[in-house]
Amino acid sequence: MTGKQLKNSILQWAIQGKLVPQDPNDEPASVLLEKIRQEKERLIQEKKIKRDKNASIIFRGEDNSYYEKILATGEVKCIDEEIPFEIPQGWEWCRLSCLTSILGDGIHGTPEYDNAGDIYFVNGNNLNDGIITFKNDTKRVNSTEAAKHKRTLTESTVLVSINGTIGKVAFYNNEKIILGKSACYFNLLGCINKVYVKCIIETEYFSEYAKKVATGTTIKNVPLAGMKNFLIPLPSLSEQSRIVHRINELKTKVSRYNHLQSELDISNRSIFDKLKKSALQEAIQGKLVPQIAEEGTARELLEQIRQEKERLIKEKKIKRDKNASIIFRGEDNSYYEKFLATGEVKCIDEEIPFEIPQGWEWCRFSSIYWQLTDGTHSTPKYTQSGIPFLSVKDMSTGRLSFANTKFISEEEHKLLSQRCHPCKGDLLLSKVGTTGIPLIIDDDREFSIFVSLALIKFFPKFVDSSFLIALLNSPLVQMQVKENTRGVGNKNWVLTAISNTLLAIPPLREQQRIVEKIDILSPYTDKIERLFEQLK
């Protein structure tokens, strides 16, 4: 159970009468409701409020069912389907409107702002855990403008966000404010404990109710009628105070529990990540499977790739890589890199992170592919349908997803494909934002990509695709991704840095045996991951 789940459970117990014991000496909630009705009648007679045409009394009939009587008409109807749970003897169900003198929201238009004004324009996003918060971007108005949009706010006022993020609660404490439409307010009567009401609104009971009555598609909004009709489980004033006191006592313990739970989650995730990285690290250091001399060497494999690339160059299918190089070990046992175009040789001992087995070779990423491009750098014109246009978000899970992709026209796709044409079996790499996520395209449908993705066409007959994914996910490569990304906000792993990434390559058959070994270990690491998820 998470800290949030524990808090939700405590609040739910509280409003079901299970958090503190009932005291038979408490005045029943029915008496409290009668006092509130009398108070409202007085305010109506004094013309301070209007009569609520929907005012009602909820009671339990002799058949044990719940009924609601509308006072204005005398109409009675069974509401068993609305009652969400049982409450203790002495408690009562009532609508939120029955406990308030007024329930409304803020202005639906835009006031005239004044940066020199000292009155804040408050919306739902300014409400947080009982407090009205003013942010740097909270707009202000002057007193003249505020007078036009004044609402009756008192020390009994409860504010609730009813638009966008729903269910945030704050209390009014004489702050100089006017309200926007996403902030609902109501003034409680009968000395109702506003902290107890806040507890109710913070429960899953309220959030589920809000989902049912909310309107809108993208941005959800709870209408005022929905707020007025919300069913309140009401105990006596004494029990309201005891519940609030007990919840306050438990706050520190819940906070401590939440902190420990977060530390445990981090620890569990760290253990899992280390286990997974350890397997990949063992794999790319040649420690996961034994070497077999009869399988050839990576030097022979890299030479075959160079010959294949030379053929493509002569056929004018690709251009010669000016930075192509060979990494070798000199007689002094140091590692050197020779650039084929210039013949320049330099020592790269400082780059080599660990020893690799005989038969393996160090190389740059560019040595094992024949094309590296990224997607279009300009934002295309999107269409309602057509050819999928993918970005980092469409592969952030490590799998290609067309579920929420944008679309471009077939004509624009053909134009973009002249430079960058993703095909089944190619490698995609995230290079902007969340960098270093590798993925082999396993879908044969046509699509184009944005600049946040890099496309790599390699030689599957020389490099096993599953081994390549394991290699790119390994600490060896991910550390280089981290070290070579640029930028402050959105990190960018530029193409030159990708091509220059240092790799450790074994012969093809050993690549395949490594993949087979990883597949054997995967169910165990997956099982551990699932166990960690269950602990959350």
Side-chain angles (χ1 to χ4, degrees):
M1 179 182 287
T2 65
K4 183 179 179 181
Q5 289 170 333
L6 178 59
K7 179 184 176 182
N8 288 341
S9 295
I10 290 171
L11 292 176
Q12 192 64 35
W13 295 333
I15 67 168
Q16 289 184 242
K18 298 177 179 179
L19 190 63
V20 298
Q22 281 73 51
D23 187 338
N25 296 316
D26 285 346
E27 185 178 73
S30 58
V31 176
L32 173 60
L33 285 174
E34 181 57 35
K35 290 179 180 178
I36 291 174
R37 281 191 287 273
Q38 291 174 8
E39 185 178 354
K40 290 181 85 167
E41 191 62 36
R42 178 181 60 79
L43 293 172
I44 292 167
Q45 296 300 324
E46 294 174 0
K47 298 184 178 181
K48 292 181 179 179
I49 65 172
K50 294 181 180 180
R51 189 178 300 280
D52 180 5
K53 296 177 182 179
N54 297 310
S56 67
I57 296 175
I58 296 173
F59 62 94
R60 204 155 194 175
E62 293 181 358
D63 59 355
N64 218 31
S65 286
Y66 282 96
Y67 293 89
E68 182 173 19
K69 179 180 180 180
I70 307 299
L71 299 179
T73 64
E75 178 191 356
V76 177
K77 62 177 180 179
C78 180
I79 59 168
D80 276 348
E81 291 185 358
E82 284 192 68
I83 302 298
F85 48 80
E86 288 298 314
I87 51 177
Q89 189 174 357
W91 288 43
E92 296 290 336
W93 284 107
C94 65
R95 304 289 180 185
L96 176 58
S97 58
C98 293
L99 304 179
T100 65
S101 59
I102 188 171
L103 189 154
D105 58 5
I107 65 172
H108 284 232
T110 302
E112 185 177 330
Y113 301 131
D114 184 349
N115 291 334
D118 62 349
I119 299 170
Y120 289 90
F121 181 49
V122 168
N123 272 292
N125 60 6
N126 296 103
L127 314 180
N128 184 49
D129 197 23
I131 299 171
I132 300 172
T133 59
F134 304 125
K135 305 177 182 180
N136 292 333
D137 59 350
T138 301
K139 303 293 185 182
R140 288 177 288 171
V141 301
N142 57 38
S143 57
T144 303
E145 184 69 10
K148 298 177 187 177
H149 309 295
K150 184 179 179 181
R151 299 293 190 269
T152 304
L153 307 180
T154 71
E155 61 181 11
S156 69
T157 297
V158 178
L159 304 168
V160 181
S161 60
I162 58 171
N163 182 270
T165 301
I166 294 171
K168 295 290 186 180
V169 183
F171 305 129
Y172 178 68
N173 287 301
N174 295 313
E175 294 91 345
K176 299 176 77 171
I177 62 171
I178 61 170
L179 301 178
K181 67 177 182 180
S182 65
C184 161
Y185 74 98
F186 51 86
N187 298 338
L188 295 168
L189 294 171
C191 298
I192 296 293
N193 194 311
K194 59 187 179 183
V195 180
Y196 173 70
V197 174
K198 172 177 176 284
C199 292
I200 299 174
I201 294 172
E202 289 178 341
T203 62
E204 289 186 349
Y205 160 54
F206 174 79
S207 62
E208 288 302 314
Y209 170 81
K211 288 177 187 176
K212 290 178 183 177
V213 301
T215 59
T217 51
T218 305
I219 299 176
K220 295 294 184 180
N221 177 71
V222 177
L224 292 182
M227 290 297 297
K228 290 177 180 178
N229 287 329
F230 178 54
L231 282 170
I232 298 288
L234 188 69
S236 67
L237 291 177
S238 298
E239 187 161 351
Q240 290 175 37
S241 296
R242 292 198 299 274
I243 288 170
V244 169
H245 179 71
R246 183 57 177 155
I247 287 174
N248 287 335
E249 284 182 335
L250 293 172
K251 267 186 178 179
T252 303
K253 294 179 180 179
V254 172
S255 178
R256 177 62 178 161
Y257 177 91
N258 196 43
H259 176 72
L260 292 173
Q261 182 66 45
S262 297
E263 288 187 340
L264 179 62
D265 288 345
I266 293 170
S267 176
N268 287 342
R269 176 54 54 189
S270 174
I271 291 169
F272 169 71
D273 287 342
K274 286 177 180 177
L275 179 64
K276 195 169 185 179
K277 287 177 181 177
S278 176
L280 292 177
Q281 187 68 14
E282 293 282 299
I284 60 138
Q285 287 187 246
K287 297 178 180 179
L288 203 59
V289 298
Q291 284 70 53
I292 301 174
E294 291 76 16
E295 291 178 351
T297 66
R299 179 174 297 182
E300 295 167 346
L301 180 143
L302 290 172
E303 180 57 35
Q304 289 174 315
I305 293 175
R306 281 192 288 274
Q307 291 174 8
E308 188 70 16
K309 290 172 80 169
E310 194 63 35
R311 180 183 63 79
L312 294 173
I313 292 168
K314 289 179 180 178
E315 294 175 0
K316 297 184 178 180
K317 292 181 178 179
I318 64 172
K319 293 182 179 180
R320 190 177 300 280
D321 180 7
K322 295 178 181 179
N323 296 310
S325 66
I326 296 174
I327 295 174
F328 63 94
R329 202 158 193 173
E331 293 181 358
D332 58 356
N333 221 28
S334 287
Y335 282 96
Y336 294 89
E337 183 172 15
K338 179 180 180 180
F339 294 91
L340 301 180
T342 63
E344 177 192 355
V345 177
K346 65 176 182 179
C347 180
I348 59 167
D349 275 348
E350 291 184 359
E351 287 191 62
I352 304 299
F354 50 78
E355 289 299 312
I356 51 176
Q358 190 172 357
W360 286 47
E361 292 291 332
W362 289 106
C363 70
R364 300 295 177 185
F365 198 176
S366 57
S367 299
I368 63 170
Y369 62 72
W370 57 272
Q371 186 183 65
L372 168 65
T373 54
D374 54 8
T376 177
H377 288 229
S378 58
T379 303
K381 184 177 180 180
Y382 298 124
T383 57
Q384 290 296 320
S385 60
I387 305 298
F389 183 75
L390 274 57
S391 63
V392 171
K393 69 177 179 61
D394 301 304
M395 59 165 288
S396 58
T397 61
R399 294 181 179 179
L400 203 60
S401 173
F402 293 88
N404 299 302
T405 185
K406 294 180 179 179
F407 297 94
I408 59 175
S409 66
E410 191 167 341
E411 290 74 20
E412 186 155 18
H413 168 64
K414 287 180 180 178
L415 183 64
L416 296 177
S417 293
Q418 293 176 13
R419 175 178 172 272
C420 179
H421 187 196
C423 298
K424 186 175 182 178
D426 290 344
L427 173 73
L428 285 180
L429 267 179
S430 61
K431 61 180 284 285
V432 177
T434 306
T435 53
I437 301 173
L439 178 150
I440 298 295
I441 300 173
D442 60 357
D443 199 301
D444 57 7
R445 77 182 77 182
E446 288 286 313
F447 65 90
S448 282
I449 60 174
F450 192 46
V451 64
S452 56
L453 298 180
L455 175 71
I456 295 173
K457 294 182 180 288
F458 61 101
F459 299 95
K461 65 179 179 180
F462 300 123
V463 180
D464 184 273
S465 59
S466 296
F467 172 78
L468 183 56
I469 293 295
L471 179 57
L472 295 174
N473 277 323
S474 70
L476 167 67
V477 172
Q478 290 299 313
M479 184 59 70
Q480 293 177 78
V481 175
K482 187 176 180 181
E483 291 174 350
N484 294 305
T485 49
R486 302 175 182 175
V488 179
N490 249 4
K491 298 289 187 180
N492 185 15
W493 192 23
V494 297
L495 295 185
T496 52
I498 293 174
S499 66
N500 200 45
T501 301
L502 189 68
L503 304 179
I505 298 292
L508 179 60
R509 182 63 192 112
E510 187 168 344
Q511 294 175 32
Q512 295 165 343
R513 288 191 291 111
I514 288 171
V515 169
E516 290 168 2
K517 188 68 171 180
I518 290 174
D519 287 343
I520 292 172
L521 294 174
S522 288
Y524 297 99
T525 55
D526 290 346
K527 184 176 181 180
I528 292 171
E529 185 174 24
R530 287 194 297 272
L531 287 171
F532 289 160
E533 291 299 324
Q534 291 170 8
L535 287 171
K536 289 186 177 182

